[in-house]
Amino acid sequence: MMLKSVSVETKSKAELEVMAEAGRFLAEVHAAMAKAVAPGVTTAELDAVAAREIKARKCKAAFPGYRGYPATLCVSVNEEVVHGIPSKAKVLAEGDIVGLDLGLVWKGFYADSAVTHPVGKVSAATAKLVETTRLSLQAGLAQARPGNRVGDIGAAVQAVAEGAGYSVVREFVGHGIGRALHEDPAIPNYGKPGTGLRLSAGMTLAIEPMVNLGTADVKVLADGWTAVTADGKYSAHFEHTVAVTEDGPRVLTAL
Ligand code: MF3
Ligand code: CO
Protein backbone atom coordinates (compact mmCIF):
# COMPACT_ATOMS: atom_id res chain seq x y z
CA MET A 1 0.00 0.00 0.00
CA MET A 2 1.27 3.46 -0.89
CA LEU A 3 1.29 6.04 1.87
CA LYS A 4 1.06 9.69 0.92
CA SER A 5 4.62 10.88 1.27
CA VAL A 6 5.19 13.77 3.63
CA SER A 7 8.55 15.45 3.71
CA VAL A 8 9.18 17.57 6.76
CA GLU A 9 12.09 20.01 6.77
CA THR A 10 13.69 20.07 10.19
CA LYS A 11 15.60 23.25 11.05
CA SER A 12 19.09 23.53 12.52
CA LYS A 13 19.69 25.42 15.76
CA ALA A 14 21.00 28.40 13.76
CA GLU A 15 17.93 28.37 11.52
CA LEU A 16 15.67 28.23 14.58
CA GLU A 17 17.30 31.38 15.92
CA VAL A 18 16.52 33.20 12.65
CA MET A 19 12.93 31.97 12.86
CA ALA A 20 12.80 33.21 16.45
CA GLU A 21 13.87 36.68 15.22
CA ALA A 22 11.16 36.56 12.56
CA GLY A 23 8.64 35.49 15.17
CA ARG A 24 9.60 38.28 17.57
CA PHE A 25 9.24 40.87 14.81
CA LEU A 26 5.80 39.47 14.01
CA ALA A 27 4.79 39.62 17.68
CA GLU A 28 5.84 43.28 17.75
CA VAL A 29 3.72 44.01 14.67
CA HIS A 30 0.76 42.28 16.32
CA ALA A 31 1.22 44.48 19.40
CA ALA A 32 1.04 47.59 17.20
CA MET A 33 -2.10 46.32 15.49
CA ALA A 34 -3.72 45.47 18.84
CA LYS A 35 -3.36 49.12 19.89
CA ALA A 36 -5.11 50.22 16.70
CA VAL A 37 -8.20 48.00 17.16
CA ALA A 38 -11.17 50.18 18.21
CA PRO A 39 -14.74 50.96 17.21
CA GLY A 40 -14.76 53.13 14.06
CA VAL A 41 -11.50 51.76 12.65
CA THR A 42 -11.66 50.16 9.19
CA THR A 43 -10.05 46.83 8.38
CA ALA A 44 -8.05 48.62 5.64
CA GLU A 45 -6.49 50.83 8.36
CA LEU A 46 -5.37 47.71 10.25
CA ASP A 47 -3.84 46.39 7.02
CA ALA A 48 -1.93 49.68 6.67
CA VAL A 49 -0.59 49.36 10.24
CA ALA A 50 0.59 45.82 9.46
CA ALA A 51 2.34 46.89 6.24
CA ARG A 52 4.00 49.91 7.89
CA GLU A 53 5.24 47.96 10.94
CA ILE A 54 6.60 45.09 8.84
CA LYS A 55 8.50 47.56 6.66
CA ALA A 56 9.85 49.39 9.73
CA ARG A 57 11.52 46.11 10.76
CA LYS A 58 13.03 45.49 7.29
CA CYS A 59 10.92 42.37 6.93
CA LYS A 60 8.70 41.41 3.98
CA ALA A 61 4.99 40.73 4.19
CA ALA A 62 4.28 37.07 3.46
CA PHE A 63 0.71 37.18 2.18
CA PRO A 64 0.59 39.71 -0.71
CA GLY A 65 0.51 37.71 -3.93
CA TYR A 66 0.30 34.38 -2.14
CA ARG A 67 -2.04 32.52 -4.52
CA GLY A 68 -3.06 36.01 -5.60
CA TYR A 69 -4.01 37.26 -2.12
CA PRO A 70 -4.51 41.04 -2.47
CA ALA A 71 -3.38 42.44 0.92
CA THR A 72 -0.86 42.22 3.78
CA LEU A 73 -3.29 41.22 6.52
CA CYS A 74 -6.10 38.69 6.69
CA VAL A 75 -8.77 40.37 8.83
CA SER A 76 -11.88 38.41 9.73
CA VAL A 77 -14.79 40.01 11.61
CA ASN A 78 -17.49 38.14 13.60
CA GLU A 79 -18.88 35.31 11.40
CA GLU A 80 -15.83 35.55 9.14
CA VAL A 81 -13.60 32.58 9.95
CA VAL A 82 -10.37 33.32 8.08
CA HIS A 83 -8.91 35.11 5.04
CA GLY A 84 -11.09 38.22 5.22
CA ILE A 85 -9.77 40.86 2.80
CA PRO A 86 -9.14 44.34 4.28
CA SER A 87 -11.62 46.98 3.13
CA LYS A 88 -12.19 50.72 3.61
CA ALA A 89 -15.90 49.90 3.76
CA LYS A 90 -15.59 47.50 6.71
CA VAL A 91 -15.81 49.54 9.92
CA LEU A 92 -15.33 47.86 13.31
CA ALA A 93 -18.12 48.34 15.84
CA GLU A 94 -18.33 47.88 19.61
CA GLY A 95 -19.15 44.24 20.36
CA ASP A 96 -17.42 42.85 17.25
CA ILE A 97 -14.51 40.44 17.32
CA VAL A 98 -11.71 40.81 14.78
CA GLY A 99 -9.22 38.12 13.83
CA LEU A 100 -5.86 39.45 12.64
CA ASP A 101 -3.81 36.86 10.74
CA LEU A 102 -0.39 37.96 9.52
CA GLY A 103 2.79 36.47 8.12
CA LEU A 104 6.22 37.92 7.39
CA VAL A 105 9.58 36.86 6.01
CA TRP A 106 12.94 37.63 7.63
CA LYS A 107 16.26 36.38 6.22
CA GLY A 108 14.42 33.79 4.13
CA PHE A 109 12.28 32.41 6.95
CA TYR A 110 8.56 32.80 7.55
CA ALA A 111 6.60 33.47 10.72
CA ASP A 112 2.80 33.26 10.83
CA SER A 113 0.43 34.08 13.69
CA ALA A 114 -3.12 35.17 14.38
CA VAL A 115 -4.99 36.79 17.26
CA THR A 116 -8.70 37.50 17.74
CA HIS A 117 -9.42 40.76 19.55
CA PRO A 118 -12.66 41.98 21.08
CA VAL A 119 -13.65 45.44 19.80
CA GLY A 120 -14.58 47.54 22.81
CA LYS A 121 -16.88 45.70 25.16
CA VAL A 122 -18.23 42.36 23.91
CA SER A 123 -20.92 40.07 25.32
CA ALA A 124 -19.91 37.43 27.90
CA ALA A 125 -20.74 34.69 25.38
CA THR A 126 -18.47 36.24 22.77
CA ALA A 127 -15.64 36.75 25.27
CA LYS A 128 -15.88 33.09 26.26
CA LEU A 129 -15.61 31.94 22.63
CA VAL A 130 -12.47 34.03 22.16
CA GLU A 131 -10.86 32.90 25.41
CA THR A 132 -11.66 29.23 24.76
CA THR A 133 -10.12 29.44 21.28
CA ARG A 134 -6.97 30.97 22.79
CA LEU A 135 -6.85 28.15 25.34
CA SER A 136 -7.36 25.53 22.61
CA LEU A 137 -4.27 26.89 20.85
CA GLN A 138 -2.31 26.72 24.13
CA ALA A 139 -3.37 23.09 24.54
CA GLY A 140 -2.24 22.30 20.99
CA LEU A 141 1.11 24.07 21.46
CA ALA A 142 1.77 22.06 24.63
CA GLN A 143 1.71 18.87 22.53
CA ALA A 144 4.46 20.08 20.18
CA ARG A 145 7.21 17.92 21.65
CA PRO A 146 9.49 15.21 20.25
CA GLY A 147 7.89 11.76 20.22
CA ASN A 148 4.33 13.09 20.18
CA ARG A 149 2.27 12.83 17.00
CA VAL A 150 0.34 15.29 14.87
CA GLY A 151 -2.91 13.73 16.12
CA ASP A 152 -1.99 14.66 19.69
CA ILE A 153 -2.04 18.34 18.72
CA GLY A 154 -5.43 18.12 17.00
CA ALA A 155 -6.95 16.04 19.78
CA ALA A 156 -5.84 18.55 22.42
CA VAL A 157 -7.26 21.51 20.48
CA GLN A 158 -10.51 19.68 19.80
CA ALA A 159 -10.97 18.59 23.42
CA VAL A 160 -10.80 22.18 24.68
CA ALA A 161 -13.06 23.61 21.96
CA GLU A 162 -15.68 20.87 21.94
CA GLY A 163 -15.48 20.51 25.73
CA ALA A 164 -16.83 24.07 25.95
CA GLY A 165 -19.62 23.26 23.48
CA TYR A 166 -18.07 24.82 20.37
CA SER A 167 -17.13 23.28 17.03
CA VAL A 168 -13.81 23.09 15.23
CA VAL A 169 -13.41 24.05 11.56
CA ARG A 170 -12.24 21.17 9.36
CA GLU A 171 -11.63 22.86 6.00
CA PHE A 172 -8.63 24.90 7.15
CA VAL A 173 -5.68 23.46 9.04
CA GLY A 174 -2.32 24.46 10.47
CA HIS A 175 0.91 23.64 8.68
CA GLY A 176 4.65 23.26 8.76
CA ILE A 177 6.48 26.56 8.19
CA GLY A 178 10.05 27.64 7.51
CA ARG A 179 11.56 28.61 4.16
CA ALA A 180 7.98 28.43 2.85
CA LEU A 181 4.77 29.74 4.41
CA HIS A 182 3.08 26.38 4.06
CA GLU A 183 5.19 23.24 4.46
CA ASP A 184 4.36 19.67 5.40
CA PRO A 185 2.85 18.41 7.61
CA ALA A 186 -0.78 19.59 7.72
CA ILE A 187 -1.90 20.17 11.32
CA PRO A 188 -5.66 19.59 11.67
CA ASN A 189 -7.42 21.03 14.72
CA TYR A 190 -9.02 17.66 15.39
CA GLY A 191 -7.66 14.13 15.61
CA LYS A 192 -6.95 11.07 17.68
CA PRO A 193 -4.17 10.93 20.27
CA GLY A 194 -1.25 8.70 19.27
CA THR A 195 -1.99 8.90 15.53
CA GLY A 196 -0.32 10.64 12.61
CA LEU A 197 3.20 11.75 11.87
CA ARG A 198 5.69 11.58 14.73
CA LEU A 199 7.15 14.93 15.79
CA SER A 200 10.87 15.44 16.16
CA ALA A 201 13.18 18.22 17.33
CA GLY A 202 13.73 20.93 14.71
CA MET A 203 10.25 20.79 13.23
CA THR A 204 8.51 24.18 13.05
CA LEU A 205 4.74 24.27 12.95
CA ALA A 206 1.97 26.86 12.65
CA ILE A 207 -0.92 25.69 14.82
CA GLU A 208 -4.10 27.66 14.11
CA PRO A 209 -7.46 26.61 15.54
CA MET A 210 -10.62 28.19 14.14
CA VAL A 211 -13.46 27.63 16.62
CA ASN A 212 -17.13 28.30 15.87
CA LEU A 213 -19.98 29.13 18.24
CA GLY A 214 -22.40 27.06 16.14
CA THR A 215 -21.90 24.68 13.24
CA ALA A 216 -18.40 23.73 12.08
CA ASP A 217 -19.45 24.26 8.46
CA VAL A 218 -17.98 27.15 6.54
CA LYS A 219 -18.39 28.59 3.06
CA VAL A 220 -16.20 30.86 0.96
CA LEU A 221 -17.69 34.13 -0.27
CA ALA A 222 -17.75 35.27 -3.92
CA ASP A 223 -14.47 37.21 -3.40
CA GLY A 224 -12.81 33.77 -3.48
CA TRP A 225 -11.15 34.30 -0.09
CA THR A 226 -13.38 35.19 2.84
CA ALA A 227 -14.48 32.07 4.71
CA VAL A 228 -17.61 32.55 6.84
CA THR A 229 -19.58 30.26 9.12
CA ALA A 230 -22.48 28.55 7.34
CA ASP A 231 -24.89 29.60 10.12
CA GLY A 232 -23.63 33.18 10.50
CA LYS A 233 -22.57 32.70 14.12
CA TYR A 234 -19.26 34.04 15.42
CA SER A 235 -15.91 32.32 14.92
CA ALA A 236 -12.52 32.94 16.57
CA HIS A 237 -8.99 32.17 15.34
CA PHE A 238 -5.60 32.09 17.06
CA GLU A 239 -2.26 30.98 15.63
CA HIS A 240 1.35 30.68 16.73
CA THR A 241 4.47 29.42 15.04
CA VAL A 242 6.16 26.92 17.37
CA ALA A 243 9.41 24.94 17.26
CA VAL A 244 9.54 21.35 18.50
CA THR A 245 12.69 21.18 20.67
CA GLU A 246 14.29 18.69 23.05
CA ASP A 247 13.29 21.11 25.81
CA GLY A 248 9.65 21.12 24.69
CA PRO A 249 7.56 23.56 22.64
CA ARG A 250 9.23 26.89 21.88
CA VAL A 251 6.62 29.45 20.77
CA LEU A 252 8.41 31.70 18.28
CA THR A 253 5.70 34.32 17.70
CA ALA A 254 5.18 35.47 21.31
CA LEU A 255 6.83 38.53 22.87
N1 MF3 B 1 -2.40 31.92 8.35
C1 MF3 B 1 -3.14 31.72 7.13
C2 MF3 B 1 -2.91 30.32 6.65
O1 MF3 B 1 -1.89 29.75 6.95
C3 MF3 B 1 -2.67 32.71 6.11
C4 MF3 B 1 -3.14 32.51 4.73
S1 MF3 B 1 -2.16 33.43 3.68
C5 MF3 B 1 -3.12 34.06 2.48
O2 MF3 B 1 -3.76 29.78 5.98
F1 MF3 B 1 -2.37 34.88 1.83
F2 MF3 B 1 -3.49 33.08 1.72
F3 MF3 B 1 -4.15 34.66 2.97
CO1 CO C 1 -1.04 29.80 8.99
Side-chain angles (χ1 to χ4, degrees):
M1 190 172 67
M2 292 285 285
L3 283 173
K4 193 173 118 202
S5 106
V6 174
S7 98
V8 180
E9 298 273 342
T10 57
K11 282 78 182 177
S12 68
K13 287 222 162 67
E15 289 171 330
L16 279 190
E17 293 314 315
V18 177
M19 287 191 68
E21 287 178 351
R24 166 161 274 273
F25 285 137
L26 182 53
E28 290 172 2
V29 176
H30 265 291
M33 288 192 296
K35 284 191 196 146
V37 170
V41 169
T42 69
T43 59
E45 288 172 312
L46 297 175
D47 184 69
V49 172
R52 183 189 75 211
E53 296 294 327
I54 287 174
K55 209 172 162 201
R57 287 165 179 79
K58 310 248 183 293
C59 299
K60 197 169 140 312
F63 297 172
Y66 180 84
R67 297 183 177 215
Y69 188 70
T72 295
L73 183 66
C74 291
V75 50
S76 305
V77 180
N78 298 343
E79 78 286 356
E80 295 173 350
V81 176
V82 278
H83 303 163
I85 300 172
S87 164
K88 282 187 209 162
K90 190 118 186 170
V91 184
L92 299 180
E94 180 106 19
D96 285 349
I97 54 174
V98 59
L100 307 177
D101 185 358
L102 186 65
L104 60 71
V105 195
W106 167 250
K107 294 185 178 173
F109 284 91
Y110 284 76
D112 186 10
S113 69
V115 184
T116 297
H117 295 287
V119 180
K121 198 169 161 40
V122 301
S123 74
T126 299
K128 189 180 168 220
L129 172 71
V130 172
E131 178 60 7
T132 302
T133 307
R134 195 184 66 77
L135 292 173
S136 77
L137 171 59
Q138 295 303 320
L141 291 168
Q143 296 298 320
R145 36 181 80 252
N148 274 6
R149 291 174 180 268
V150 166
D152 294 317
I153 296 173
V157 169
Q158 185 178 17
V160 171
E162 293 183 355
Y166 304 128
S167 63
V168 159
V169 171
R170 303 295 206 269
E171 281 90 341
F172 299 98
V173 297
H175 47 93
I177 180 169
R179 289 192 187 273
L181 175 61
H182 292 149
E183 297 183 349
D184 283 338
I187 312 286
N189 297 299
Y190 54 91
K192 288 198 184 359
T195 67
L197 184 84
R198 195 178 288 280
L199 304 178
S200 59
M203 289 182 181
T204 44
L205 310 172
I207 304 177
E208 51 177 317
M210 286 140 269
V211 175
N212 295 354
L213 196 54
T215 179
D217 294 341
V218 302
K219 59 181 186 189
V220 175
L221 298 184
D223 64 18
W225 281 102
T226 313
V228 299
T229 57
D231 60 9
K233 294 186 177 171
Y234 281 18
S235 180
H237 178 211
F238 283 81
E239 176 177 26
H240 272 307
T241 297
V242 62
V244 177
T245 81
E246 295 296 352
D247 303 325
R250 178 177 176 194
V251 177
L252 301 176
T253 43
L255 280 179

